[in-house]
């Protein structure tokens, strides 16, 4: 795995999902999860910085293999990390991709450790969507 794939410390025995995105998105959001809940180790960060699509796909595949995680969260629906996961899941059954994630969504997933993976992802998605509001004129 490239150095970008392991920017934040993580205990692979507790990793439940991979967070992948542009620049330091993944490490930043995982840092916030750690600060708020102490559960940042539930996620493994992957950055696309300096990587081509094939390299991103390789880093993601290695992360899933190393951790046994079945969920990948990405920052942008049409971003390179999302494209890499979409290519990869054609051959990998049981891997879930959630894109356009926000902190509320990831916090909900981090706290849902007693729920099966699909239910945890759906609940987190619902929470993430509900957290997006507009105030003011």
């Amino acid at each position: 795995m490239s150095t970008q794939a392991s920017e934040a410390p993580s205990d692979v025995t507790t990793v439940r999902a991979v967070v992948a995105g542009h620049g330091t998105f993944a490490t930043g959001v995982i840092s916030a999860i750690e600060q708020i809940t102490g559960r940042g180790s539930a996620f493994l960060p992957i950055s696309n910085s300096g990587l081509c699509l094939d390299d991103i796909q390789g880093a993601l595949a290695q992360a899933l293999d190393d951790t046994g995680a079945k969920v990948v969260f990405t920052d942008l629906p049409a971003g390179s990390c999302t494209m890499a996961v979409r290519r990869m899941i054609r051959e990998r059954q049981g891997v879930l991709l959630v894109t356009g994630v926000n902190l509320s969504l990831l916090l909900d997933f981090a706290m849902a450790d007693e729920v099966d993976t699909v239910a945890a992802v759906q609940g987190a998605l619902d929470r993430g969507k509900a957290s997006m509001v507009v105030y003011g004129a």
Side-chain angles (χ1 to χ4, degrees), residues 21-44:
H22 292 80
T24 59
F25 171 80
T27 55
V29 75
I30 292 169
S31 172
I33 292 164
E34 180 63 29
Q35 182 179 353
I36 295 166
T37 68
R39 294 182 173 211
S41 65
F43 303 95
L44 180 70

Side-chain angles (χ1 to χ4, degrees), residues 9-125:
S10 179
D11 177 4
V12 294
T13 62
T14 61
V15 172
R16 295 178 51 225
V18 173
V19 179
H22 292 80
T24 59
F25 171 80
T27 55
V29 75
I30 292 169
S31 172
I33 292 164
E34 180 63 29
Q35 182 179 353
I36 295 166
T37 68
R39 294 182 173 211
S41 65
F43 303 95
L44 180 70
I46 301 283
S47 174
N48 68 352
S49 293
L51 302 177
C52 69
L53 191 58
D54 287 339
D55 292 342
I56 297 166
Q57 186 174 342
L60 288 163
Q62 187 68 51
L64 294 175
D65 290 344
D66 289 350
T67 64
K70 297 291 185 191
V71 181
V72 180
F73 295 104
T74 65
D75 56 355
L76 291 175
S80 57
C81 292
T82 299
M83 288 188 285
V85 177
R86 290 185 66 187
R87 283 174 41 183
M88 184 179 52
I89 62 176
R90 292 178 194 154
E91 302 166 4
R92 285 183 180 246
Q93 302 249 329
V95 174
L96 298 172
L97 166 64
V98 181
T99 187
V101 301
N102 61 32
L103 183 57
S104 293
L105 182 152
L106 293 172
L107 285 168
D108 191 90
F109 184 82
M111 299 306 290
D113 54 19
E114 299 296 323
V115 181
D116 75 72
T117 301
V118 174
V121 167
Q122 188 58 56
L125 182 61

